[in-house]
Amino acid sequence: MKTCLINPLFVEPAGPGRERYFVRSGSRWPSSYLKPAGRRGRYVPFPFFLAYAAALLERDGFPVKTVDAVGGNVSTEALLRHVARAEPDLVLYETTTPTVKRDLELARKLKSLTGAAIVLCGTHATTYPEQILAQEAAVDRILLYEYEQTLLELVRATADGRDPSTLNGIALRGAGGVVVRRQYQPIEPLDRLPFPARHLFPTAEQPDLSAYWDGFCQHRPAVQMHASRGCPFRCDFCLWVQVMYRDGRYRMFSPSRVVDEMEDAQRRHGAREIYFDDDDFTVNKRHVLEICGEIRARRLRIPWSCMGDAVVPDAEMLDAMADAGCVGMKFGVESASPGILARLGKPVDLDRVREVASGCSRRGIKTHATITFGLWDETRQSMEASLHFVQDLDVDSVQFSVTSPFPGTRYFEEMQRLGRLKTLDWERYDGARSAVVEFPHLSFAEIQHACRRAPSRWLRHKLGDARWLLRQVRYLLRIVRGQGLRGLTERFRRAADILIGER
């Protein structure tokens, strides 16, 4: 039973020498970015679910082939050739809302080319399994939610000739029509999972973890890891927590397992930085302190950064993180409107955000905040207030995006109920650029215009702050040590793109 796990790359022209590519597996928030035509993107997340699934299959003795076309910058035509050479019995890949039309087109090509069972998973397929199976005959199965263990059980059942319709977390066609078994058994404890099969990515023939990159990191190569899954906060726009984890409880790898994997990443894969791309790394103070204690106890010397929050961290936690090698933290603000934050279900206090940002600055932890326009009762005034808030916030970078109310989230359901969704053209749900929610006295164009202008306005404001500039010089020196002149050049190029308004 041969399985092929893929992560397709979809690109579209975006002007002379540029193309827009779509980030897929590994990203909690499907979106698109600009890159030079024919080159890798500046943001490529590691496809965690695919890599854990591959590790489980390998551990069980099943042959597995991987092709991460996003990480390897592999065209669709070359991807098809890779898959054909593998002669798989089963091909699996994740769907996203903005790419679902192309995902289904690819399913038809793969079915025609290989005759293999085509299995979809990911957020969009999890939300609409009945519709996809009814619409597209080339799709044979859909795996729901976090799918690694379900895939292993499906492969076992197929190899043994057993009926897969009895499995939980699966959708397929039966004698009476589409069968959807939404019973969900989260993987717990997480330590049951082997280390992700990093040696198979982007491909087994050319493994190269330097292909995976988040521009926030300060050293290359930076190996991406998870220390937990899920989040106890219930933000109504959050896609992965609601859909992939079905609002399940927050689960953590044990601190010893986390640091074992850090050591493995450093020893086997040459990591010079670890990036914890959790849904929220800092949500459990005790867990963070125990990880930091384990790092110090082993005298492990490697810088690390994380996706955290500005809700839980306090001075004790930030000091422990810095002492254990933390050099960067991202966190979400989303809006400076207390009313919008309350409706989102995001327990953010703006004074607390200021304290966390200042605490990170005090300990040399680089910070990155996120602002999302187009949430709930957004107005011109609330967007301007959010911009002014982060202009005065002691952070080192900010990401501005336009909210996509992704299917499967409470935000999507509520906007649909209120009649505010003005299109179900999924290609417009790109997670960053296009507004699809209509607000009273606030047009799509105004939201998109505000988002395009905000990064340049923020940076121009910060360039007048001598203290902020001095800190950036220190971080740039860290980047030169961690990445060489290439990293410095990329940062200046990115700053230039922001100033001229390119995303």
Side-chain angles (χ1 to χ4, degrees):
M1 180 69 186
K2 294 185 291 185
T3 301
C4 190
L5 310 180
I6 64 175
N7 183 25
L9 171 65
F10 297 129
V11 299
E12 56 189 34
R18 291 291 185 103
E19 59 190 7
R20 186 165 291 279
Y21 71 105
F22 290 83
V23 168
R24 301 166 52 81
S25 298
S27 175
R28 289 178 300 277
W29 194 257
S31 54
S32 63
Y33 298 85
L34 289 174
K35 70 180 183 71
R39 291 174 54 187
R40 286 176 176 166
R42 59 182 172 82
Y43 170 56
V44 182
F46 184 70
F48 285 102
F49 289 125
L50 292 176
Y52 281 118
L56 284 171
L57 290 169
E58 276 198 328
R59 190 170 70 180
D60 227 47
F62 290 107
V64 58
K65 172 84 171 181
T66 58
V67 186
D68 180 0
V70 179
N73 198 41
V74 177
S75 68
T76 299
E77 294 73 20
L79 171 63
L80 290 170
R81 291 194 294 271
H82 274 282
V83 176
R85 285 196 298 269
E87 299 181 338
D89 301 298
L90 183 154
V91 180
L92 173 140
Y93 56 99
E94 296 176 24
T95 59
T96 72
T97 297
T99 64
V100 66
K101 180 179 178 181
R102 280 175 271 196
D103 291 332
L104 298 183
E105 290 172 354
L106 181 62
R108 292 192 288 273
K109 292 178 181 178
L110 288 166
K111 175 65 77 173
S112 174
L113 182 67
T114 68
I118 307 301
V119 180
L120 301 186
C121 48
T123 54
H124 197 87
T126 291
T127 304
Y128 296 119
E130 297 95 339
Q131 293 90 325
I132 290 175
L133 287 168
Q135 170 189 348
E136 185 50 67
V139 177
D140 298 287
R141 309 273 191 272
I142 291 176
L143 304 187
L144 312 175
Y145 317 116
E146 57 179 5
Y147 57 81
E148 303 104 316
Q149 186 64 39
T150 311
L151 174 62
L152 176 60
E153 292 169 3
L154 173 62
V155 170
R156 286 172 174 170
T158 305
D160 294 342
R162 290 184 283 113
D163 180 7
S165 65
T166 61
L167 300 177
N168 289 332
I170 193 169
L172 69 172
R173 297 180 190 86
V178 174
V179 176
V180 180
R181 293 181 55 84
R182 287 199 175 273
Q183 295 90 335
Y184 170 52
Q185 296 296 325
I187 298 170
E188 196 168 9
L190 287 179
D191 284 11
R192 287 170 46 198
L193 288 168
F195 291 168
R198 293 188 172 91
H199 60 288
L200 299 181
F201 289 87
T203 66
E205 294 78 14
Q206 293 183 305
D208 178 13
L209 290 185
S210 69
Y212 302 101
W213 180 244
D214 187 311
F216 179 68
C217 295
Q218 298 164 73
H219 305 78
R220 277 187 187 263
V223 170
Q224 299 173 28
M225 277 184 55
H226 280 166
S228 63
R229 284 190 177 183
C231 177
F233 306 137
R234 290 293 181 259
C235 304
D236 65 7
F237 67 93
C238 185
L239 180 61
W240 264 23
V241 170
Q242 291 182 70
V243 178
M244 295 302 282
Y245 304 135
R246 208 177 185 183
D247 271 331
R249 76 183 191 89
Y250 183 68
R251 291 161 289 155
M252 298 162 284
F253 288 99
S254 66
S256 59
R257 153 64 190 254
V258 171
V259 183
D260 285 347
E261 191 172 338
M262 292 177 73
E263 289 181 329
D264 182 77
Q266 186 181 51
R267 182 178 63 254
R268 292 183 59 201
H269 303 291
R272 298 185 65 200
E273 181 171 334
I274 301 295
Y275 175 53
F276 288 103
D277 196 18
D278 293 34
D279 303 286
D280 189 340
F281 177 84
T282 58
V283 76
N284 185 300
K285 180 178 177 179
R286 178 179 176 182
H287 189 235
V288 173
L289 294 180
E290 288 178 351
I291 289 172
C292 293
E294 188 75 15
I295 291 171
R296 293 195 303 272
R298 300 193 197 186
R299 294 183 171 84
L300 177 61
R301 298 187 179 278
I302 185 169
W304 55 273
S305 48
C306 65
M307 171 63 74
D309 66 70
V311 178
V312 177
D314 57 12
E316 180 186 11
M317 182 191 291
L318 294 176
D319 284 342
M321 290 167 61
D323 291 343
C326 180
V327 295
M329 183 170 76
K330 296 182 182 181
F331 55 82
V333 178
E334 315 318 344
S335 176
S337 164
I340 289 176
L341 290 173
R343 296 198 73 176
L344 281 179
K346 192 176 186 73
V348 168
D349 176 86
L350 297 178
D351 288 334
R352 179 71 166 172
V353 173
R354 295 185 183 96
E355 291 174 6
V356 170
S358 297
C360 287
S361 174
R362 173 180 59 85
R363 289 306 311 263
I365 298 174
K366 183 183 174 185
T367 48
H368 176 85
T370 60
I371 291 290
T372 306
F373 291 144
L375 290 166
W376 281 103
D377 298 318
E378 192 79 89
T379 63
R380 299 180 191 90
Q381 292 76 22
S382 63
M383 291 192 296
E384 195 69 12
S386 295
L387 173 61
H388 288 318
F389 177 79
V390 289
Q391 282 179 332
D392 294 334
L393 191 63
D394 194 17
V395 293
D396 301 296
S397 58
V398 178
Q399 173 184 311
F400 297 90
S401 60
V402 176
T403 303
S404 285
F406 284 116
T409 64
R410 289 181 291 278
Y411 189 56
F412 176 88
E413 293 167 0
E414 191 63 13
M415 292 300 101
Q416 191 171 45
R417 186 185 69 81
L418 294 172
R420 288 188 175 182
L421 288 182
K422 295 308 174 182
T423 179
L424 291 180
D425 176 1
W426 299 132
E427 292 185 4
R428 286 183 55 82
Y429 288 65
D430 62 18
R433 298 176 297 133
S434 301
V436 296
V437 175
E438 187 172 76
F439 296 89
H441 315 299
L442 186 62
S443 68
F444 292 164
E446 287 177 293
I447 296 172
Q448 292 169 181
H449 180 67
C451 188
R452 282 195 300 270
R453 293 188 62 227
S456 175
R457 292 180 63 192
W458 179 85
L459 182 55
R460 291 176 191 278
H461 178 87
K462 286 297 188 182
L463 289 174
D465 181 342
R467 190 168 63 90
W468 182 86
L469 282 171
L470 179 61
R471 191 165 73 239
Q472 302 320 301
V473 170
R474 292 199 295 270
Y475 291 153
L476 287 172
L477 291 174
R478 187 187 290 171
I479 287 169
V480 171
R481 292 193 298 271
Q483 301 177 41
L485 292 178
R486 172 189 172 187
L488 186 65
T489 301
E490 287 180 355
R491 290 304 164 101
F492 280 121
R493 184 184 296 120
R494 177 61 186 144
D497 285 345
I498 289 172
L499 289 172
I500 65 175
E502 266 195 17
R503 185 175 184 276

